[in-house]
Amino acid sequence: MLKWGSLVTATLVLAVSLTSCATPNTNSSTEGGRSATASGGKSRLDIVKERGELICGVDGKIPGFSFVDETGEYSGLDVDVCKAVAAAVLGDASKVQYRPLDSTERFTALSGGEVDMLSRNTTWTLSRDTSVGLEFAPTTFFDGQGMMVPTNSNIADLKAFQGKSICVEAGTTTELNLTDNLRKAGVEAEISTFQQADQAYNAYLEGRCQGMTSDKSQLLARRSKFPNPDEHILLDVTMSKEPLGPVTINNDSAWFDVVKWVTYGLIEAEEFGIMQANVEEMLESDDPNIRRFLGVEQGLGEGIGLEDDFMVKAIEAVGNYGEVYDRNLGEQSTFNLPRGQNDLWTNGGLMYSPPFR
């Protein structure tokens, strides 16, 4: 079975098919010492404030990350990040319009201004940061690419795929990582690509592919919705490291700072022991670090164009990072995934926030 603490070696390669839709139409301006660049010279921060609503691009079909139920309600770790940003900026976590996007349309939607940000299991890579013109906020989930096969397939590793077929979603780093790993293993397998994840998973379930590859978190989440989940296993294979997190458009530092520091703030809140249930009580703390973080003193919000208590609003809305994780993926969820690399640095994980001062 899957070992969450053993996500290993990287493959940072070019998402060639995505670069053509990468260049945003932007202009620059400066507000209060902050570089603010967006459509029409206006930062996306100002656009969101004026609209009174955050438009957040999500996947919408991955339980635990972003999933819409039969009542139309969205939930998941990625959704909670959208809510935290909306609460920090607008003072109301419900002021979010979710926009489901598949992997091939997400960057076009962001660069064209259709959405304000992505919170949609998107891997941080060099080419997306540079050629595609994106800005990656802090990683909210450290993942790795895995492989799912039928339990009775007798497939135990990549070499067993010689002459077989593997399903993968098009327009992702997953496809490129798969190609690299098969080449490295000297395996000639058919790679069947599909524009939408649903198409890929349906093809796998219909037996048109002997394996399905994606981020391990997505494979587990999707498997939970299969008719017979126990008939499918994840191989003990990690083909890449996949740092997933929110994304904004390039050259709009005012907006990027907001998304970045709200995300860091959820991590910092956990380290401070600030939770949904005690955030009001913590406003009375004598700790200068906590008082500054919660905006009781020194006015950190002004620097990024928000009220000083922006993190109080975010924490009241969704809790700290640990609460978000436990509710959607951890011990309070059906997945019960150990924190592993997604634990705080003080517990041996990779979650770390720069100082709020």
Side-chain angles (χ1 to χ4, degrees):
M1 288 298 290
L2 179 62
K3 296 180 179 179
W4 286 91
S6 63
L7 306 184
V8 291
T9 314
T11 304
L12 295 176
V13 289
L14 180 64
V16 177
S17 62
L18 302 173
T19 57
S20 61
C21 61
T23 305
N25 179 19
T26 59
N27 299 301
S28 298
S29 67
T30 301
E31 297 180 8
R34 294 177 290 113
S35 171
T37 305
S39 178
K42 183 180 292 185
S43 170
R44 183 63 51 175
L45 172 59
D46 298 320
I47 294 172
V48 171
K49 286 181 175 178
E50 290 172 7
R51 186 195 301 126
E53 185 179 55
L54 172 72
I55 303 177
C56 204
V58 299
D59 182 289
K61 295 183 179 179
I62 307 178
F65 287 87
S66 64
F67 187 76
V68 57
D69 62 21
E70 60 277 5
T71 68
E73 291 293 320
Y74 283 82
S75 64
L77 185 150
D78 291 341
V79 168
D80 280 349
V81 171
C82 300
K83 291 179 177 178
V85 173
V89 176
L90 302 170
D92 189 342
S94 70
K95 300 294 186 182
V96 184
Q97 179 187 147
Y98 299 100
R99 191 71 58 84
L101 300 167
D102 68 35
S103 59
T104 62
E105 61 188 5
R106 53 186 163 172
F107 300 137
T108 304
L110 184 62
S111 63
E114 181 182 340
V115 299
D116 301 313
M117 60 179 285
L118 296 176
S119 187
R120 190 207 167 282
N121 61 307
T122 299
T123 303
W124 186 347
T125 73
L126 183 151
S127 59
R128 288 173 175 175
D129 200 352
T130 56
S131 303
V132 182
L134 308 178
E135 293 281 10
F136 285 83
T139 297
T140 52
F141 190 85
F142 290 94
D143 208 340
Q145 183 174 335
M147 179 71 74
M148 182 164 59
V149 298
T151 306
N152 61 3
S153 66
N154 293 321
I155 295 175
D157 53 32
L158 288 183
K159 291 186 177 181
F161 279 101
Q162 181 70 35
K164 295 183 171 58
S165 177
I166 301 170
C167 287
V168 63
E169 190 176 357
T172 63
T173 55
T174 310
E175 179 185 355
L176 301 172
N177 295 335
L178 176 62
T179 301
D180 285 348
N181 278 271
L182 291 175
R183 179 182 176 186
K184 188 165 62 176
V187 174
E188 293 187 4
E190 178 185 356
I191 299 177
S192 299
T193 61
F194 299 85
Q195 182 168 348
Q196 296 182 352
D198 283 350
Q199 297 169 340
Y201 282 95
N202 288 338
Y204 167 75
L205 288 172
E206 292 167 359
R208 292 153 57 190
C209 308
Q210 285 71 55
M212 176 71 207
T213 184
S214 186
D215 295 344
K216 292 182 177 182
S217 59
Q218 183 179 143
L219 292 174
L220 287 173
R222 285 279 185 163
R223 187 181 66 171
S224 71
K225 297 298 181 181
F226 285 0
N228 299 295
D230 293 340
E231 295 181 359
H232 307 271
I233 59 171
L234 268 65
L235 300 182
D236 189 12
V237 171
T238 303
M239 288 182 268
S240 69
K241 58 183 181 184
E242 304 289 336
L244 312 177
V247 185
T248 67
I249 197 65
N250 209 359
N251 296 325
D252 186 351
S253 62
W255 178 235
F256 175 58
D257 282 348
V258 167
V259 176
K260 175 175 61 181
W261 283 102
V262 170
T263 305
Y264 273 137
L266 299 179
I267 299 169
E268 187 81 325
E270 182 180 12
E271 188 171 340
F272 281 144
I274 305 171
M275 308 171 68
Q276 261 183 316
N278 69 3
V279 62
E280 287 294 327
E281 177 185 341
M282 296 297 273
L283 291 172
E284 305 299 325
S285 171
D286 293 328
D287 186 332
N289 294 302
I290 291 177
R291 294 177 65 80
R292 184 166 51 245
F293 176 72
L294 295 178
V296 179
E297 56 187 48
Q298 291 197 0
L300 288 176
E302 182 181 0
I304 54 175
L306 301 178
E307 300 293 329
D308 289 340
D309 63 347
F310 70 97
M311 280 312 306
V312 174
K313 297 170 182 171
I315 296 165
E316 285 177 338
V318 302
N320 63 41
Y321 177 78
E323 292 179 282
V324 170
Y325 185 97
D326 287 344
R327 181 170 60 245
N328 295 300
L329 299 168
E331 57 189 23
Q332 296 176 23
S333 74
T334 58
F335 304 106
N336 196 23
L337 295 180
R339 290 284 293 271
Q341 294 178 87
N342 295 294
D343 210 337
L344 293 178
W345 68 287
T346 50
N347 297 327
L350 298 176
M351 288 298 171
Y352 179 99
S353 170
F356 274 67
R357 65 177 312 126

